[in-house]
């Protein structure tokens, strides 16, 4: 009988990982123990993935609010800083904002609207239409925003982020002015020193501001990109990808991840004789249809992965073949015709109609999204994900 199961994604439980733990040994032994417990065997091109959080925790990659404040003060001079285009998040940004505010006398906070970069909405598009506001051109003061839209709360969190961020800044001893705009240049009417807090558009934002005469322009990726007083850091991403650890500290995005995935791959090969691919993953990249959150608040889905995960899928669309090229076939004849087509497919199907509708995304982004959904973000206790059959197709037995 032909094989009936395709891709399988398993959440693997692991110990609670603390700073100084051997992440390579823990991940390897957890997967091997899971194999014994669940009775599965290893194959070439299986995938082991681990959350960025457990890698960073093992590394002890943490920093305090005061570390952030010192870095901001040293780099901006401790006066007025324009903080532009941050996401709306208690977990992701609020703790960073505390540090930023402690390192300046005044914060001019520029919020994008109607939503932040990852889809958290301050207000709805319908509300903008009703009030005749053009988000591409109109710059709103806080008083004008309140006059037009009142005190809106986030759909899921129940938080008025405008009020929350203002109180947070003032609570750190800094003066605060809030504006709403989507053009980065709007901040230059208030200050020439700008901290760009957008994630995936940060390079463009910095370029635009520098070309327009801003004096100091940095991104979150340039705050804590080196250690401050022995703190954790990330030379590539700085504060990007950080999460709240305690009320006074953040866990940074892990660093030096490539050596981790390569070491795990080697240990698994030594134990199983199979070449298993390994990756570190953070947020997946998918959009919630109700809250409209795009999810990807990390700078990348995967900061490191073994070489077998490079590239994009190269797949044929089975329903296209069934409805077009083989529309006159059915049953076993259709099945065999499609199998032959798959076996003979080109190495690069880009632009061919038979691949139209297949997902044009990098493998690491697709697999990372699968892992993020498998592991969850709460109390499942499965920060390691083991995937089998991801690279199989309809012909695999």
């Amino acid at each position: 009988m032909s094989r009936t199961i395709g891709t399988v994604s398993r959440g693997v439980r692991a110990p609670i990982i603390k700073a100084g733990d051997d992440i390579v040994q823990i991940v390897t032994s957890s997967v091997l123990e899971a194999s014994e417990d669940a009775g599965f065997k290893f194959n070439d091109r299986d995938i082991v993935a681990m959350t960025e959080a457990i890698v960073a925790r093992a590394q002890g990659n943490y920093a305090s609010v005061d570390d952030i404040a010192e870095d901001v003060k040293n780099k901006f001079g401790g006066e007025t800083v324009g903080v532009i285009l941050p996401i709306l998040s208690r977990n992701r940004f609020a703790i960073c904002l505390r540090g930023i505010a402690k390192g300046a006398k005044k914060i001019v906070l520029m919020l994008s609207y109607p939503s932040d970069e990852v889809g958290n909405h301050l207000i709805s598009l319908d509300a903008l239409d009703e009030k005749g506001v053009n988000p591409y051109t109109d710059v709103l003061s806080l008083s004008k925003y309140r006059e037009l839209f009142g005190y809106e709360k986030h759909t899921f969190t129940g938080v008025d982020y405008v009020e929350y961020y203002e109180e947070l800044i003032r609570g750190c001893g800094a003066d605060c002015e809030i504006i709403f705009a989507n053009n980065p240049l709007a901040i230059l009417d208030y200050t020439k020193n700008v901290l760009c807090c957008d994630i995936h558009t940060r390079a463009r934002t910095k370029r635009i501001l520098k070309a327009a005469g801003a004096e100091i322009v940095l991104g979150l990726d340039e705050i804590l990109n080196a250690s401050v007083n022995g703190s954790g850091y990330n030379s590539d991403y700085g504060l990007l990808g950080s999460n709240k650890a305690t009320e006074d500290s953040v866990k940074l995005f892990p660093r030096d991840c490539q050596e981790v995935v390569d070491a795990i791959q080697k240990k698994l090969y030594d134990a199983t004789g199979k070449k298993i691919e390994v990756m570190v993953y953070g947020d997946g990249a998918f959009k919630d249809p109700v809250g409209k959150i795009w999810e990807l608040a990390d700078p990348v889905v995967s900061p490191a992965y073994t070489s077998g995960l490079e590239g994009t899928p190269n797949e044929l669309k089975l329903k296209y073949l069934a409805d077009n090229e083989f529309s006159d076939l059915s049953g076993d004849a259709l099945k065999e015709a499609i199998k032959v087509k798959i076996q003979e497919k080109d190495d690069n199907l880009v632009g061919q109609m038979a691949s139209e509708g297949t997902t044009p995304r990098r493998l690491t982004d697709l697999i990372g999204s699968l892992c993020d959904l498998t592991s969850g973000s709460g109390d499942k206790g499965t920060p390691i994900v083991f995937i089998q059959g991801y690279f199989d197709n309809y012909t695999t037995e």
Side-chain angles (χ1 to χ4, degrees):
M1 181 178 178
S2 297
R3 175 175 158 187
T4 58
I5 300 296
T7 300
V8 176
S9 179
R10 295 178 174 93
V12 177
R13 291 182 178 174
I16 304 300
I17 292 168
K18 306 286 284 187
D21 287 347
D22 186 341
I23 190 66
V24 173
Q25 180 59 39
I26 289 172
V27 171
T28 303
S29 60
S30 294
V31 173
L32 293 174
E33 288 169 12
S35 170
E36 294 179 7
D37 181 54
F40 59 80
K41 296 181 180 179
F42 294 97
N43 305 298
D44 288 325
R45 303 207 81 187
D46 288 348
I47 303 167
V48 170
M50 73 218 81
T51 64
E52 57 81 20
I54 62 171
V55 180
R57 286 174 64 85
Q59 292 174 341
N61 204 20
Y62 293 84
S64 70
V65 166
D66 289 338
D67 295 329
I68 297 171
E70 182 169 336
D71 207 21
V72 169
K73 186 174 182 179
N74 290 339
K75 290 173 176 174
F76 284 97
E79 298 297 324
T80 299
V81 179
V83 176
I84 71 169
L85 307 175
I87 63 172
L88 307 173
S89 173
R90 295 167 296 175
N91 174 47
R92 288 286 193 169
F93 186 69
I95 193 77
C96 297
L97 183 57
R98 282 188 60 207
I100 295 164
K102 289 186 72 173
K105 288 184 178 178
K106 179 179 179 179
I107 298 295
V108 181
L109 181 64
M110 190 182 95
L111 299 174
S112 58
Y113 74 102
S115 68
D116 70 8
E117 180 182 1
V118 298
N120 291 297
H121 275 64
L122 287 172
I123 47 179
S124 68
L125 285 168
D126 291 334
L128 290 184
D129 294 341
E130 180 184 339
K131 300 297 183 180
V133 175
N134 185 339
Y136 299 105
T137 59
D138 295 347
V139 178
L140 306 179
S141 65
L142 178 57
S143 60
K144 186 63 177 178
Y145 172 86
R146 292 300 190 198
E147 175 190 330
L148 290 169
F149 305 112
Y151 289 77
E152 291 284 338
K153 294 185 177 181
H154 189 275
T155 302
F156 289 143
T157 66
V159 174
D160 179 340
Y161 281 96
V162 178
E163 181 178 65
Y164 176 55
Y165 281 177
E166 180 181 23
E167 290 179 352
L168 187 153
I169 292 168
R170 295 192 186 280
C172 292
D175 191 12
C176 178
E177 184 172 0
I178 298 179
I179 62 171
F180 302 81
N182 292 303
N183 185 342
L185 298 181
I187 195 65
L188 298 182
D189 290 336
Y190 301 83
T191 178
K192 297 296 189 291
N193 297 335
V194 187
L195 179 59
C196 304
C197 299
D198 47 341
I199 305 164
H200 307 288
T201 55
R202 62 188 184 275
R204 176 178 182 269
T205 301
K206 293 179 200 177
R207 173 174 56 79
I208 289 171
L209 287 166
K210 289 175 181 177
E215 295 174 2
I216 302 175
V217 179
L218 298 173
L220 282 181
D221 56 326
E222 295 166 286
I223 304 299
L224 287 188
N225 57 348
S227 181
V228 174
N229 298 323
S231 73
Y233 66 96
N234 189 302
S235 57
D236 294 320
Y237 300 119
L239 281 177
L240 290 179
S242 63
N243 291 86
K244 178 180 178 180
T246 70
E247 293 302 321
D248 297 302
S249 66
V250 294
K251 176 196 65 61
L252 300 168
F253 212 49
R255 59 181 190 266
D256 304 324
C257 293
Q258 192 61 48
E259 60 190 55
V260 173
V261 298
D262 289 341
I264 292 171
Q265 184 179 59
K266 184 178 185 307
K267 285 185 76 70
L268 286 171
Y269 180 81
D270 291 343
T272 68
K274 303 297 182 181
K275 187 174 182 181
I276 296 169
E277 305 300 339
V278 184
M279 66 181 285
V280 177
Y281 68 94
D283 277 346
F286 44 81
K287 186 170 182 176
D288 178 81
V290 176
K292 300 179 177 61
I293 300 170
W294 183 47
E295 181 67 13
L296 185 55
D298 286 324
V300 290
V301 172
S302 176
Y305 48 89
T306 50
S307 60
L309 298 179
E310 188 65 57
T312 58
N314 188 57
E315 300 172 339
L316 295 169
K317 197 75 170 179
L318 297 192
K319 64 182 181 181
Y320 177 87
L321 295 176
D323 290 343
N324 290 272
E325 188 170 343
F326 303 126
S327 60
D328 58 330
L329 300 179
S330 62
D332 289 341
L334 175 59
K335 180 179 178 179
E336 290 306 312
I338 288 178
K339 282 188 173 183
V340 170
K341 190 73 174 180
I342 292 172
Q343 291 166 345
E344 296 176 348
K345 69 182 177 182
D346 295 338
D347 291 336
N348 187 348
L349 295 169
V350 173
Q352 296 188 29
M353 287 298 294
S355 68
E356 184 177 4
T358 57
T359 308
R361 292 167 58 189
R362 294 185 303 178
L363 288 168
T364 51
D365 294 339
L366 291 164
I367 296 166
S369 297
L370 171 61
C371 291
D372 192 21
L373 290 168
T374 300
S375 62
S377 58
D379 58 7
K380 287 185 172 62
T382 55
I384 303 166
V385 176
F386 182 65
I387 300 170
Q388 293 190 295
Y390 190 84
F391 295 103
D392 293 351
N393 61 41
Y394 192 54
T395 68
T396 306
E397 298 294 342

